């Protein structure tokens, strides 16, 4: 399957490296294909480079790995993605009352907002609940890290679950896309522990069952 990663920053780069050994073909959607770091990333993961619009248009699955403050303009510029599976791994964060917090919640979510920007796309909210380091490489953890996903299309979620497994996660279905309202605050729990409570970034959530 051809996967387009839109955005080559910290998260986009980590996902590209995490999928390097997968059977998927990676195409990086970058604003500046001449950037040396972006070219180095493409060479490292054996991926193609294209404009964001070209990358999204040529792929079967599109991963949005963009800062929220530029997301609307960038996502709408991708064109018509009707029928394509789109993973939204962005958390709608910004400064709220002088502290980092969610800009959306309770009655809507970033995932639902992305779906409104891309009518006809099969949006799945996931990969927002852990830091980039664990996306690139989570081998060696004592438990397989869990990754929840939410979306309205069962087939799309089945395909996304396989991609999550390629990245080393245990995929768990949280329900329809409105459940992004749960997953985005859950992502903030990781951010709070990692950045504000001193836990650092080398950890992930796991679902541990009694046997």
């Amino acid at each position: 399957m051809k996967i387009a990663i839109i955005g080559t920053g910290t998260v986009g780069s980590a996902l590209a490296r995490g999928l390097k050994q997968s059977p998927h073909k990676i195409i990086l959607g970058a604003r500046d294909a001449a950037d040396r770091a972006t070219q180095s990333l493409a060479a490292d993961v054996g991926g193609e480079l294209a404009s964001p619009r070209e990358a999204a248009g040529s792929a079967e699955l599109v991963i949005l790995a963009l800062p929220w403050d530029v997301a609307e303009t960038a996502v709408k510029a991708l064109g018509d993605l009707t029928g394509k599976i789109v993973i939204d791994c962005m958390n709608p964060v910004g400064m709220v009352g002088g502290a980092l917090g969610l800009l959306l919640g309770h009655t809507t979510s970033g995932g639902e907002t992305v779906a409104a920007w891309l009518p006809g796309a099969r949006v799945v909210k996931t990969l927002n609940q852990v830091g980039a380091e664990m996306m690139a490489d989570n081998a060696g953890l004592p438990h397989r890290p869990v990754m929840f996903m939410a979306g309205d299309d069962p087939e799309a979620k089945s395909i996304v679950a396989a991609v999550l497994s390629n990245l080393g996660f245990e995929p768990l279905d949280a329900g329809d896309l409105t459940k992004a309202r749960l997953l985005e605050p859950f992502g903030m729990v990781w951010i709070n522990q990692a950045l504000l409570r001193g836990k650092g970034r080398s950890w992930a959530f796991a679902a541990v069952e009694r046997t």
Side-chain angles (χ1 to χ4, degrees):
M1 180 169 61
K2 195 169 188 178
I3 298 177
I5 300 174
I6 309 302
T8 54
T10 302
V11 173
S13 298
L15 288 170
R17 293 189 173 99
L19 291 169
K20 179 178 177 179
Q21 303 300 327
S22 77
H24 308 296
K25 185 174 183 179
I26 304 301
I27 180 167
L28 302 173
R31 290 179 300 171
D32 183 6
D35 177 71
R36 289 187 179 182
T38 303
Q39 291 181 343
S40 177
L41 174 65
D44 179 43
V45 303
E48 299 177 25
L49 267 176
S51 71
R53 189 182 183 98
E54 290 170 338
S58 67
E60 299 157 80
L61 186 149
V62 179
I63 301 177
L64 303 177
L66 299 159
W68 186 254
D69 60 350
V70 303
E72 182 174 5
T73 298
V75 169
K76 288 181 176 179
L78 296 177
D80 185 4
L81 301 187
T82 297
K84 292 184 184 290
I85 300 170
V86 175
I87 290 178
D88 168 29
C89 64
M90 305 178 292
N91 281 320
V93 297
M95 297 308 291
V96 180
L100 188 68
L102 289 174
L103 301 173
L104 300 171
H106 297 297
T107 59
T108 190
S109 64
E112 292 165 273
T113 301
V114 167
W117 293 340
L118 296 173
R122 303 155 75 189
V123 176
V124 178
K125 184 76 184 192
T126 192
L127 288 171
N128 70 306
Q129 304 142 50
V130 74
E133 294 83 355
M134 292 291 102
M135 298 180 194
D137 180 9
N138 53 52
L141 296 178
H143 300 286
R144 191 179 183 194
V146 71
M147 185 59 62
F148 293 98
M149 58 181 177
D152 296 333
D153 187 311
E155 181 185 24
K157 285 193 286 188
S158 177
I159 293 169
V160 169
V163 174
L164 295 177
S165 294
N166 293 147
L167 287 165
F169 294 105
E170 176 188 356
L172 285 183
D173 190 346
D176 63 43
L177 191 58
T178 65
K179 301 308 182 290
R181 302 175 197 179
L182 303 179
L183 302 190
E184 289 165 4
F186 187 52
M188 290 300 296
V189 174
W190 189 93
I191 291 171
N192 178 66
Q193 287 292 312
L195 304 184
L196 302 179
R197 305 298 300 172
K199 190 168 179 61
R201 303 177 64 90
S202 298
W203 65 283
F205 296 108
V208 183
E209 297 184 16
R210 188 187 302 275
T211 58

